[in-house]
């Protein structure tokens, strides 16, 4: 089977959804599984619904606004009275009904039950449209196949159960399913982390022993830098799994960090192509003699710099490190860069859940801490060390690290 993943930008309106069918026509629509994100900025809009709900504000008006947007898109695809309109209404009624009945104070739990509806609705619209134009497919609820623990907003996949369920699928037909979501043992929805649809596609690819996986983006492929942030970037036509994993780890937004491991384990080729020009080759990630090691620029914004030191000038020892990383795990904060000296530890952190202040309160009971928020982490992979001075121009550097031709600078 072939696995195709289409992100929010590729299904943002009726014309974009029609374009998906053109992409599929160019690639051949047989024995494939499509993994689809929420339409456009729907995830952000549903996040606002959750925030308004907890603020006891008028979240119903926001739900209605999102519903009308989806109905408007459907009106550009289907005749009046089509069954899809009732489906759309039902999904939004379910969101409102859940929030009215909900008794859980757990923000992350409520978040997952609400925000996941974006993918449910987008896939229903796309699946129905493809069937309407004779691209026969079956709609799947990904939550019946991807099983996780109950770590809401950052679900850990139960690979044994997931592989068991997905392997039952008929590999001779086509499916449309959701990215980003799975379910726990109680069948509550669990999301796989922001931008987790690529990971969903890789899970299906792994469990189905797919021939290949392609992610369709609004860029020509994997570039040497985000063209919105860097000048003179170029397309990488071939890169290794290892290079792609390093780029994803350092923050290259075109690839989700968890995506590559399942593909590498089964040597499944991974392509990044443009849905605006599907005939172009894009980027191939996998084993190849053509793999490139070009200088690559990555900017990770909205980071938090922590400087932690002992109060009595004693060494930062192993027990201190163990304690600090225990707190990082507790508050679900990810380390983007670390550097330690005898009496201090500097950490550039990704505070995805907004818990940095709580972490600081814990650490200050034992350590001296300094925090600098809203810093950026600039990484150059395969840096030409002889040209390194150019990267410091017009930057206020708070922390720097060079290792094996990788330069990293924390700037304000």
């Amino acid at each position: 089977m072939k696995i195709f993943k289409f992100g929010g930008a590729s299904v943002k309106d009726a014309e974009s959804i029609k374009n998906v069918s053109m992409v599929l026509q160019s690639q051949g629509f047989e024995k494939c599984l499509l993994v689809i994100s929420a339409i456009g900025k729907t995830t952000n809009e549903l996040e606002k619904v959750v925030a308004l709900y907890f603020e006891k504000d008028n979240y119903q008006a926001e739900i209605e606004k999102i519903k009308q947007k989806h109905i408007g898109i459907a009106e550009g695809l289907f005749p009046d009275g089509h069954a899809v309109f009732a489906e759309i209404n039902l999904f939004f009624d379910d969101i409102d009904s859940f929030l009215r009945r909900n008794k859980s104070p757990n923000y992350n739990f409520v978040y997952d039950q609400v925000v996941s509806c974006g993918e449910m609705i987008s896939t229903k619209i796309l699946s129905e449209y493809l069937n309407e134009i004779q691209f026969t497919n079956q709609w799947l609820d990904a939550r019946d196949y991807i099983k996780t623990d109950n770590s809401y907003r950052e679900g850990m996949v139960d690979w044994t159960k997931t592989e068991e369920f997905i392997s039952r699928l008929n590999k001779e037909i086509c499916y449309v399913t959701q990215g980003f979501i799975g379910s726990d043992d109680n069948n509550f929805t669990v999301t796989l982390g922001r931008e987790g649809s690529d990971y969903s596609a890789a899970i299906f690819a792994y469990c189905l022993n797919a021939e290949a996986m392609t992610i369709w983006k609004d860029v020509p492929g994997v570039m040497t830098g985000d063209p919105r942030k860097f000048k003179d970037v170029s397309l990488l036509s071939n890169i290794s799994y290892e290079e792609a994993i390093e780029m994803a780890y350092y923050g290259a937004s075109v690839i989700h960090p968890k995506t590559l491991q399942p593909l590498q384990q089964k040597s499944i080729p991974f392509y990044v192509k443009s849905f605006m020009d599907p005939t172009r080759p894009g980027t191939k990630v996998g084993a190849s003699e053509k793999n490139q090691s070009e200088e690559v620029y990555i900017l990770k914004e909205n980071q938090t710099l922590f400087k932690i030191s002992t109060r009595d000038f004693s060494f930062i020892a192993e027990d201190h490190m163990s304690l600090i990383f225990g707190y990082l795990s507790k508050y679900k904060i990810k380390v983007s860069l670390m550097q330690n000296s005898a009496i201090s530890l500097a950490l550039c952190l990704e505070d995805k859940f907004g818990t940095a202040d709580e972490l600081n309160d814990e650490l200050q009971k034992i350590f001296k801490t300094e925090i600098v928020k809203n810093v950026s982490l600039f990484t150059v992979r395969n840096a030409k060390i002889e040209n390194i001075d150019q990267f410091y121009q017009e930057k206020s550097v708070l922390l720097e690290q060079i290792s094996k031709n990788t330069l990293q600078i924390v700037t304000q």
Side-chain angles (χ1 to χ4, degrees), residues 95-293:
I95 296 172
D96 187 49
S97 176
F98 165 75
L99 290 174
R100 280 189 284 105
R101 290 182 289 105
N102 174 61
K103 300 296 181 189
S104 173
N106 183 339
Y107 187 97
N108 293 337
F109 168 75
V110 174
Y111 177 102
D112 278 5
Q113 311 319 302
V114 172
V115 171
S116 58
C117 291
E119 276 71 15
M120 303 300 289
I121 301 162
S122 65
T123 52
K124 183 59 74 172
I125 290 172
L126 180 68
S127 174
E128 292 283 356
Y129 175 69
L130 292 177
N131 278 322
E132 191 83 1
I133 61 169
Q134 308 307 309
F135 280 24
T136 305
N137 72 91
Q138 185 176 323
W139 182 84
L140 290 184
D141 188 334
R143 297 171 298 185
D144 294 335
Y145 296 89
I146 296 179
K147 306 305 288 185
T148 71
D149 64 2
N150 62 357
S151 300
Y152 299 109
R153 292 182 71 185
E154 200 76 46
M156 296 289 289
V157 174
D158 182 327
W159 282 95
T160 303
K161 288 181 182 175
T162 298
E163 195 164 9
E164 179 191 338
F165 292 138
I166 292 177
S167 64
R168 296 174 188 168
L169 291 172
N170 179 356
K171 296 182 184 179
E172 300 300 313
I173 64 175
C174 294
Y175 299 97
V176 174
T177 193
Q178 307 79 37
F180 182 54
I181 63 174
S183 67
D184 63 17
D185 286 342
N186 293 313
N187 291 319
F188 287 118
T189 305
V190 181
T191 63
L192 305 178
R194 202 70 159 81
E195 309 295 339
S197 293
D198 293 2
Y199 184 37
S200 298
I203 293 167
F204 278 104
Y206 176 91
C207 295
L208 291 168
N209 296 307
E211 170 193 328
M213 172 177 144
T214 304
I215 291 178
W216 296 95
K217 310 278 288 186
D218 56 357
V219 291
V222 179
M223 312 291 286
T224 55
D226 185 337
R228 294 166 298 185
K229 297 172 182 174
F230 298 101
K231 295 177 183 175
D232 305 322
V233 296
S234 57
L235 176 70
L236 293 163
S237 57
N238 290 79
I239 54 175
S240 66
Y241 292 114
E242 291 79 8
E243 182 64 19
I245 287 168
E246 291 285 354
M247 288 174 64
Y249 172 77
Y250 288 122
S253 59
V254 76
I255 307 168
H256 189 275
K258 293 179 184 175
T259 302
L260 292 146
Q261 211 170 15
L263 302 175
Q264 184 186 27
Q265 284 181 33
K266 290 193 175 179
S267 300
I268 298 168
F270 167 43
Y271 297 90
V272 180
K273 293 188 177 185
S274 168
F275 59 74
M276 294 184 282
D277 191 354
T279 58
R280 293 183 64 180
T283 300
K284 179 185 178 183
V285 179
S288 170
E289 292 178 1
K290 299 178 183 175
N291 283 341
Q292 299 158 277
S293 294

